[in-house]
Amino acid sequence: MKGNASMKITIKEIAELAGVSVTTVSQILNNKGSRFSEQTRKKVLSIVEEYHYKPDFFAANLINRHSKTIGMIVPDVTDFFFSKIIEGVESYLNPLGYMIILCNSRHDKEQEIRYLNELSHRSVDGILLATPNQLSPEQSLESDFYRDRPIVLIDRGLNERDWGQLLVEEYAGAQEVVRMLVNNGHRHIGMLKENEGYYQLSERVNAYRQVVFEYQLPFNESYISTGDLTIAGGYKAAKELLKNEQITAVFCGNDEMAIGCYQAIYESGRKIPDDISVVGFDGLEVSQYMVPPLTTVFQPSFEIGFSAAKFLVDAINFPSQRIPNKIFQTKLIIRESVKKKVEA
């Protein structure tokens, strides 16, 4: 048999060739072989490579009823925030041998429901659902819809439950960045927020309003402009906001909107931060490469995805255990997009 790489080899035959047990081979292939020597691992993996061994997931599925496949639905795969969440999910799942079926709902509730139905018929072991929507009654977490597989929601706590909540302290983070603008002498502070029906960032808006109230800052509804949570959305919303020439600082609902806001300010002939200060929210990697680098609130989107995947795998392997909650802290990152406002 040796040298005939075209033959389909079994784990039992790999074990015989390597002179180890079937359990040893299985653990090494499942990345659980840390207790074995490097020599043993290399021996097993070289045989695996020589014979192009691939685990037969279909056969394994018949035995353990696990397909090693996870369904994931996100509202927008092009959104930098969700890209980072997906990266975190993959980072946890890939070493465990899981594949992801990724679905893009485009913020459409009906499309989300269709994907959930499709995934439920494709033998996925579990579902990660990032949703801006309230689940419909037939899809509530207590319904029969999910009885055959666990689900973990990434929904900013929109759907009430006392387990499996992945919550970011957005309110505190948004308060901190707006207070920082006030402490730098800004009183006329505008905000770019998301359109109604988009992924809801109400905590950020509420925090902004609270700081405006707390410091009794000048305010009218023209100080808030709405748009999609995208670069183009931020650009359009900023064009509208900048009609109010009293505004000296802008709190953008997310970093993507801030990129669009930068362009609108540039086109208006003003400079950041000399004429107007800008802050964002998310702490995207791109924010440090903006000109000037953006002051923003970092939220750990990669860790949110990583934790969501861990919660789901734990729920698959230990179905009787309750899925825990987890709270993530934010961090204010001070860069060069804010200037102290000196009253004339």
Side-chain angles (χ1 to χ4, degrees):
M1 179 174 72
K2 190 154 178 64
N4 187 355
S6 63
M7 285 184 64
K8 188 167 172 64
I9 194 170
T10 65
I11 283 190
K12 187 169 182 287
E13 288 164 337
I14 293 170
E16 286 170 2
L17 287 169
V20 297
S21 69
V22 169
T23 304
T24 299
V25 174
S26 178
Q27 290 187 333
I28 288 170
L29 290 177
N30 285 297
N31 294 308
K32 294 176 181 173
S34 55
R35 66 188 179 91
F36 303 114
S37 71
E38 192 59 28
Q39 186 182 354
T40 302
R41 291 180 75 256
K42 278 183 177 170
K43 196 171 184 182
V44 168
L45 294 173
S46 68
I47 293 166
V48 165
E49 189 176 351
E50 181 185 348
Y51 288 92
H52 308 295
Y53 173 76
K54 294 280 184 200
D56 188 336
F57 285 120
F58 181 73
N61 189 23
L62 294 177
I63 299 163
N64 61 28
R65 297 185 181 279
H66 283 181
S67 64
K68 298 291 274 189
T69 307
I70 298 294
M72 184 174 185
I73 303 170
V74 296
D76 184 357
V77 292
T78 67
D79 185 302
F80 291 137
F81 172 74
F82 290 110
S83 299
K84 210 70 187 164
I85 284 197
I86 293 164
E87 196 181 316
V89 168
E90 285 185 326
S91 200
Y92 187 81
L93 293 180
N94 286 353
L96 300 177
Y98 281 92
M99 289 293 292
I100 300 170
I101 298 177
L102 183 62
C103 307
N104 184 20
S105 70
R106 301 178 188 274
H107 291 270
D108 183 335
K109 188 168 184 175
E110 293 308 310
Q111 184 62 52
E112 186 180 282
I113 291 169
R114 280 193 291 273
Y115 278 139
L116 280 167
N117 282 309
E118 277 294 317
L119 290 171
S120 70
H121 292 120
R122 287 175 188 261
S123 300
V124 294
D125 292 337
I127 296 172
L128 290 167
L129 174 57
T131 178
N133 301 315
Q134 194 92 41
L135 295 181
S136 51
E138 70 273 13
Q139 292 179 296
S140 75
L141 296 169
E142 287 74 39
S143 72
D144 290 341
F145 190 84
Y146 308 114
R147 70 184 182 278
D148 297 328
R149 65 193 54 78
I151 183 164
V152 169
L153 297 180
I154 303 167
D155 67 344
R156 290 192 160 88
L158 176 67
N159 293 280
E160 283 190 25
R161 58 199 185 280
D162 55 6
W163 53 267
Q165 293 205 70
L166 298 140
L167 299 175
V168 177
E169 293 198 332
E170 293 186 41
Y171 189 88
Q175 272 194 328
E176 188 179 10
V177 75
V178 180
R179 280 181 182 145
M180 183 269 297
L181 291 173
V182 176
N183 292 333
N184 274 279
H186 295 278
R187 291 185 56 74
H188 296 271
I189 301 169
M191 179 171 186
L192 306 186
K193 67 178 279 290
E194 81 285 358
N195 281 322
E196 293 303 318
Y198 212 81
Y199 204 76
Q200 296 300 303
L201 305 179
S202 53
E203 292 286 275
R204 300 177 198 181
V205 182
N206 292 341
Y208 162 79
R209 287 184 178 274
Q210 167 58 30
V211 174
V212 166
F213 174 77
E214 182 184 330
Y215 288 92
Q216 297 184 311
L217 302 179
F219 177 80
N220 63 56
E221 287 306 321
S222 72
Y223 279 49
I224 295 181
S225 184
T226 65
D228 291 345
L229 287 169
T230 60
I231 295 171
Y235 172 76
K236 288 175 187 167
K239 292 282 267 191
E240 191 62 34
L241 186 74
L242 292 171
K243 289 176 183 175
N244 190 330
E245 293 187 358
Q246 286 185 299
I247 286 172
T248 64
V250 183
F251 172 36
C252 301
N254 72 351
D255 288 351
E256 283 198 61
M257 289 189 103
I259 296 170
C261 181
Y262 266 43
Q263 178 63 21
I265 290 169
Y266 169 75
E267 288 178 11
S268 76
R270 281 173 269 189
K271 287 188 176 176
I272 304 167
D274 295 348
D275 303 316
I276 191 160
S277 294
V278 180
V279 297
F281 199 110
D282 276 347
L284 299 176
E285 195 175 343
V286 70
S287 64
Q288 63 188 303
Y289 300 110
M290 293 163 67
V291 183
L294 179 71
T295 290
T296 184
V297 179
F298 172 80
Q299 65 166 335
S301 43
F302 179 93
E303 285 77 11
I304 294 168
F306 191 89
S307 297
K310 183 183 185 310
F311 282 4
L312 191 63
V313 171
D314 287 348
I316 291 163
N317 293 329
F318 309 103
S320 61
Q321 286 187 15
R322 178 189 170 96
I323 301 174
N325 296 319
K326 187 160 184 174
I327 293 174
F328 300 87
Q329 310 293 321
T330 59
K331 182 184 177 187
L332 177 59
I333 301 173
I334 304 282
R335 296 204 186 102
E336 296 158 40
S337 62
V338 174
K339 187 176 180 182
K340 203 166 186 67
K341 173 84 176 148
V342 180
E343 292 295 332

